Amino acid sequence: QFWFREGIRFIAAHPLIFLKLLVFKIYLFFSANAISDNYHLPFFKDQLPILRLPFGWHILSTLGLLGMIAGWRRRRNNFDLLYILTACYVASIALFFITSRFRLPTAPYLAIFGAAGVISVSGAIKGKRIKTATILIIFACLIFFGLGRLPKTTPIYASYLSAGEIYYRDGDYDRALSYLKKARDDLEEAETTDKLRSYRIHYGLGQAYLGLNQPGKAAIEFQRLGGESQNNLLEPEFDIGNAYGAHKYY
């Protein structure tokens, strides 16, 4: 109840800011970004091949919004309930916070709207209504690029790092090494200054190599830890010593 009262107080004191945030969260709901809390859905592409298909949330939300626009005039005949269900669910989530897993229940609705959008475009082309088809295609392009304009909110390397550390603790050094290498590669591609995660990645790689009886490669990874220490908060010598001791390299 405390945070509910605080929320109501904020809305009453700053109604315009609240509306601005609400609109932005509605945009986030349909955006291409994978917004994670406890699960980062793109991470599961390695486990579920169907998720590697190019038809993802970005395309689904684009076609869904296109279908909403194209079918607006026909809503009284067929789509009234679908519009109401979608709008109510989006609003109920946008009032609080947006995450990828909370968006998933609208996928069936967006798929129906998306099919209507595709049918509208193809029907306009077949009926030689060039102006209508052109307008719908332009709308689709604007929606697609508009929904994809934000930078990634959750780096995939963070999930790879967590998986690698879990597999290492479980004694599965081969899988740990595989995920930690993916984390390292993705971190390098991101061109970020995330020194703490970089430190954890190289330390984890060193540990995994020790577990696989490859001390030479482990030493190379441990040598990189010195440059990742920030403000003396990290102590690579202590961590490296623990790693060697854990694998009986005295």
Side-chain angles (χ1 to χ4, degrees), residues 29-106:
F29 188 98
F30 294 100
S31 73
N33 286 38
I35 306 167
S36 307
D37 51 359
N38 56 345
Y39 292 108
H40 188 44
L41 298 184
F43 168 78
F44 293 99
K45 289 181 180 179
D46 288 336
Q47 286 75 33
L48 300 173
I50 193 172
L51 295 179
R52 300 172 199 165
L53 296 175
F55 190 88
W57 181 262
H58 192 183
I59 294 177
L60 179 63
S61 59
T62 297
L63 294 179
L65 290 173
L66 176 65
M68 292 180 192
I69 295 170
W72 181 250
R73 292 183 178 180
R74 300 193 301 275
R75 69 190 185 283
R76 294 186 180 278
N77 298 327
N78 302 309
F79 286 167
D80 265 346
L81 182 59
L82 205 56
Y83 276 103
I84 292 170
L85 287 173
T86 305
C88 287
Y89 185 81
V90 172
S92 70
I93 298 301
L95 284 173
F96 299 95
F97 54 89
I98 307 297
T99 66
S100 296
R101 63 192 180 97
F102 291 163
R103 303 188 300 191
L104 291 179
T106 58

